Amino acid sequence: MAKKYRYIKQLAFILLFLVLLVFVLVEAREFLYPIFIAILFSYLLYPVVSKLEDWGVPRILANLLTIIFSMAVAIGLVVLLYQQLSAFLTDFPNLEQKVMQNLDKLQREIDDEFGEYSMQNEHWLRQQVGSALAFSGGFLRNVLMATADTLVKFGLMPVYIFLMLYYRNKFEDFLLRLLPAYRHPQAERIINDISQVTKHYMGGIVTVVLILCVLNTTGLFLIGVEYAVLLGILSALMNFIPYFGTLIGGAIPLLYTFVVMGSPSKALLVLIFFLLVQFTENNILTPNITGGRVNINPLFTILSIIVGGMIWGVPGMFVAVPYLAMFKIYCDHHKALNAYSFLLGTEGTEEHAITLDKIKRMLGLKKNSPNRLSS
């Protein structure tokens, strides 16, 4: 009875901790998510800072040079997006009119095909699309005219990154001082593994996004899509969000081509192009650049993205996967938590995975190897 009571008490404390954790994350989101994002970008810039320090550059100067160069690249991308968004918003009333004309044309073709006409359905469709366009236009104007609060939050991120890189050894020493001496080797292994996985993940995903910016923009320009630069960069930036990012990124230019431009043939070309880009990104770019270091199975990757979006919105969707990977590394180094590490990881389903060898055997292109023990 006492053992059962102790178990219920422990479970109650865990549930209370989780509820309080979610409450704090939601209430303090405006303060916390810039810090969590800054930590990830600190890992991204750490290899460059470390290399400059190895060359004899003082840490303060190495941090400043790295952050200034990174900010120059980021500001250049933001200015380019700002210019494209400004031109897009200037032309937005004309685009809205084109959408309504294309909708009327589509409605007439549907009526001619099925021999039915409903004024109520037509008005409903125009009303829903008009509401969506009004919301989109207002959202883009809010993005373009960022509030001072937003600028302050993102303006503080370079300061956070600089201080985190400058005090990185202090943070490590602080964690070690919290633990007894016999646990220091294990703690150092955890810190090293987290550092390796995070910096490779962040470096890989930023590299993939930059490559996709060029690929998407070039492909959309060759197809003849309007605002190819804006749509190409926006669709590439969506890839910061695993799984959902590729889907959302491809849907943006596809919907624009079909609904706004009213060109089914170009929409089909855009669909084929993004299927090729997705195949290239999933099978060539991401495996070779990012690698399989973030060893989280798709189920918990998707769940973490959904939970992150519910708590912090888009920033939460971005930070969910790398921080879940950090938690898995912590579980890897503690025997009591190995079961959770196994649950989060990709191990245990190897026999059911689809591999090239299995496909060849199914098609009869490869014979099963003979069993040497039976001879």
Side-chain angles (χ1 to χ4, degrees), residues 59-83:
R59 176 169 293 189
I60 293 179
L61 184 58
N63 291 347
L64 282 175
L65 291 175
T66 305
I67 292 174
I68 289 172
F69 177 77
S70 305
M71 286 182 63
V73 175
I75 290 172
L77 188 62
V78 169
V79 169
L80 179 61
L81 268 178
Y82 187 90
Q83 292 175 344

Short mmCIF file of all heavy atoms in Angstrom, two decimals, residues 59-83:
data_model
loop_
_atom_site.label_atom_id
_atom_site.label_comp_id
_atom_site.label_asym_id
_atom_site.label_seq_id
_atom_site.Cartn_x
_atom_site.Cartn_y
_atom_site.Cartn_z
N ARG A 59 38.91 36.31 -28.09
CA ARG A 59 37.53 35.83 -28.10
C ARG A 59 36.54 36.95 -28.39
O ARG A 59 35.60 36.75 -29.17
CB ARG A 59 37.20 35.15 -26.77
CG ARG A 59 35.75 34.71 -26.67
CD ARG A 59 35.50 33.81 -25.48
NE ARG A 59 36.18 32.54 -25.63
CZ ARG A 59 36.00 31.50 -24.81
NH1 ARG A 59 35.15 31.59 -23.79
NH2 ARG A 59 36.65 30.37 -25.01
N ILE A 60 36.72 38.12 -27.79
CA ILE A 60 35.78 39.23 -28.02
C ILE A 60 35.75 39.61 -29.48
O ILE A 60 34.68 39.76 -30.09
CB ILE A 60 36.14 40.44 -27.14
CG1 ILE A 60 35.92 40.12 -25.66
CG2 ILE A 60 35.33 41.67 -27.54
CD1 ILE A 60 36.28 41.25 -24.73
N LEU A 61 36.93 39.74 -30.09
CA LEU A 61 37.01 40.13 -31.49
C LEU A 61 36.47 39.02 -32.40
O LEU A 61 35.77 39.31 -33.38
CB LEU A 61 38.46 40.45 -31.86
CG LEU A 61 38.71 40.97 -33.28
CD1 LEU A 61 37.89 42.24 -33.53
CD2 LEU A 61 40.19 41.23 -33.51
N ALA A 62 36.76 37.77 -32.05
CA ALA A 62 36.26 36.64 -32.85
C ALA A 62 34.74 36.62 -32.82
O ALA A 62 34.08 36.41 -33.86
CB ALA A 62 36.82 35.33 -32.31
N ASN A 63 34.15 36.84 -31.64
CA ASN A 63 32.69 36.88 -31.54
C ASN A 63 32.10 38.02 -32.36
O ASN A 63 31.10 37.85 -33.08
CB ASN A 63 32.27 37.04 -30.08
CG ASN A 63 32.56 35.79 -29.25
OD1 ASN A 63 32.85 34.73 -29.80
ND2 ASN A 63 32.49 35.92 -27.95
N LEU A 64 32.72 39.21 -32.24
CA LEU A 64 32.20 40.38 -32.96
C LEU A 64 32.27 40.18 -34.47
O LEU A 64 31.30 40.46 -35.18
CB LEU A 64 33.01 41.62 -32.56
CG LEU A 64 32.66 42.26 -31.21
CD1 LEU A 64 33.62 43.40 -30.90
CD2 LEU A 64 31.22 42.77 -31.20
N LEU A 65 33.40 39.70 -34.97
CA LEU A 65 33.56 39.49 -36.41
C LEU A 65 32.55 38.48 -36.94
O LEU A 65 31.92 38.69 -37.99
CB LEU A 65 34.99 39.03 -36.72
CG LEU A 65 36.10 40.06 -36.51
CD1 LEU A 65 37.47 39.42 -36.74
CD2 LEU A 65 35.92 41.24 -37.47
N THR A 66 32.38 37.39 -36.21
CA THR A 66 31.46 36.34 -36.65
C THR A 66 30.02 36.83 -36.65
O THR A 66 29.27 36.61 -37.62
CB THR A 66 31.58 35.10 -35.74
OG1 THR A 66 32.95 34.67 -35.71
CG2 THR A 66 30.71 33.97 -36.25
N ILE A 67 29.62 37.52 -35.59
CA ILE A 67 28.23 38.00 -35.50
C ILE A 67 27.97 39.10 -36.51
O ILE A 67 26.90 39.14 -37.13
CB ILE A 67 27.95 38.48 -34.06
CG1 ILE A 67 27.95 37.28 -33.10
CG2 ILE A 67 26.62 39.22 -33.98
CD1 ILE A 67 27.83 37.66 -31.64
N ILE A 68 28.93 40.00 -36.73
CA ILE A 68 28.75 41.08 -37.71
C ILE A 68 28.58 40.50 -39.11
O ILE A 68 27.69 40.91 -39.88
CB ILE A 68 29.93 42.06 -37.67
CG1 ILE A 68 29.87 42.89 -36.38
CG2 ILE A 68 29.92 42.98 -38.89
CD1 ILE A 68 31.10 43.75 -36.15
N PHE A 69 29.42 39.51 -39.46
CA PHE A 69 29.29 38.88 -40.78
C PHE A 69 27.95 38.17 -40.91
O PHE A 69 27.27 38.28 -41.95
CB PHE A 69 30.44 37.88 -40.99
CG PHE A 69 30.34 37.13 -42.29
CD1 PHE A 69 30.69 37.73 -43.49
CD2 PHE A 69 29.89 35.81 -42.29
CE1 PHE A 69 30.58 37.03 -44.68
CE2 PHE A 69 29.78 35.10 -43.48
CZ PHE A 69 30.13 35.72 -44.68
N SER A 70 27.53 37.46 -39.88
CA SER A 70 26.24 36.75 -39.91
C SER A 70 25.09 37.72 -40.03
O SER A 70 24.13 37.49 -40.78
CB SER A 70 26.08 35.89 -38.65
OG SER A 70 27.16 35.00 -38.50
N MET A 71 25.17 38.84 -39.28
CA MET A 71 24.11 39.85 -39.36
C MET A 71 24.06 40.48 -40.74
O MET A 71 22.97 40.80 -41.25
CB MET A 71 24.34 40.92 -38.29
CG MET A 71 24.01 40.48 -36.88
SD MET A 71 24.26 41.82 -35.69
CE MET A 71 23.03 43.00 -36.28
N ALA A 72 25.22 40.67 -41.38
CA ALA A 72 25.24 41.25 -42.72
C ALA A 72 24.50 40.34 -43.71
O ALA A 72 23.72 40.81 -44.54
CB ALA A 72 26.68 41.47 -43.17
N VAL A 73 24.75 39.02 -43.60
CA VAL A 73 24.05 38.08 -44.47
C VAL A 73 22.55 38.09 -44.19
O VAL A 73 21.73 38.14 -45.10
CB VAL A 73 24.63 36.66 -44.29
CG1 VAL A 73 23.82 35.64 -45.09
CG2 VAL A 73 26.09 36.61 -44.70
N ALA A 74 22.19 38.05 -42.89
CA ALA A 74 20.76 38.03 -42.51
C ALA A 74 20.06 39.32 -42.93
O ALA A 74 18.94 39.29 -43.45
CB ALA A 74 20.64 37.82 -41.00
N ILE A 75 20.72 40.46 -42.71
CA ILE A 75 20.11 41.74 -43.08
C ILE A 75 19.94 41.84 -44.60
O ILE A 75 18.93 42.36 -45.09
CB ILE A 75 20.96 42.91 -42.54
CG1 ILE A 75 20.84 42.97 -41.01
CG2 ILE A 75 20.52 44.23 -43.15
CD1 ILE A 75 21.77 43.97 -40.36
N GLY A 76 20.93 41.33 -45.35
CA GLY A 76 20.81 41.33 -46.81
C GLY A 76 19.60 40.53 -47.27
O GLY A 76 18.85 40.96 -48.15
N LEU A 77 19.37 39.37 -46.63
CA LEU A 77 18.21 38.55 -46.97
C LEU A 77 16.91 39.24 -46.58
O LEU A 77 15.94 39.23 -47.33
CB LEU A 77 18.33 37.20 -46.26
CG LEU A 77 17.30 36.12 -46.64
CD1 LEU A 77 17.44 35.75 -48.11
CD2 LEU A 77 17.48 34.88 -45.77
N VAL A 78 16.91 39.89 -45.42
CA VAL A 78 15.71 40.60 -44.95
C VAL A 78 15.39 41.78 -45.87
O VAL A 78 14.22 42.02 -46.21
CB VAL A 78 15.89 41.07 -43.50
CG1 VAL A 78 14.78 42.03 -43.09
CG2 VAL A 78 15.91 39.88 -42.55
N VAL A 79 16.41 42.54 -46.27
CA VAL A 79 16.20 43.68 -47.17
C VAL A 79 15.64 43.21 -48.51
O VAL A 79 14.72 43.83 -49.07
CB VAL A 79 17.52 44.45 -47.38
CG1 VAL A 79 17.39 45.47 -48.51
CG2 VAL A 79 17.93 45.17 -46.09
N LEU A 80 16.18 42.09 -49.02
CA LEU A 80 15.67 41.54 -50.27
C LEU A 80 14.21 41.14 -50.14
O LEU A 80 13.38 41.46 -51.00
CB LEU A 80 16.52 40.34 -50.68
CG LEU A 80 16.12 39.62 -51.97
CD1 LEU A 80 16.22 40.57 -53.16
CD2 LEU A 80 17.00 38.39 -52.20
N LEU A 81 13.87 40.47 -49.03
CA LEU A 81 12.48 40.09 -48.78
C LEU A 81 11.60 41.32 -48.61
O LEU A 81 10.45 41.34 -49.10
CB LEU A 81 12.40 39.21 -47.52
CG LEU A 81 12.49 37.71 -47.71
CD1 LEU A 81 12.46 37.01 -46.36
CD2 LEU A 81 11.38 37.20 -48.60
N TYR A 82 12.10 42.33 -47.92
CA TYR A 82 11.35 43.57 -47.69
C TYR A 82 11.00 44.24 -49.01
O TYR A 82 9.86 44.69 -49.22
CB TYR A 82 12.16 44.51 -46.81
CG TYR A 82 11.42 45.75 -46.36
CD1 TYR A 82 10.68 45.75 -45.18
CD2 TYR A 82 11.45 46.91 -47.11
CE1 TYR A 82 10.00 46.89 -44.77
CE2 TYR A 82 10.78 48.06 -46.71
CZ TYR A 82 10.06 48.04 -45.54
OH TYR A 82 9.38 49.16 -45.13
N GLN A 83 11.97 44.33 -49.91
CA GLN A 83 11.73 44.94 -51.22
C GLN A 83 10.69 44.15 -52.01
O GLN A 83 9.80 44.72 -52.65
CB GLN A 83 13.04 45.02 -51.99
CG GLN A 83 14.04 46.00 -51.40
CD GLN A 83 15.38 45.98 -52.13
OE1 GLN A 83 15.68 45.04 -52.87
NE2 GLN A 83 16.20 46.99 -51.90
#
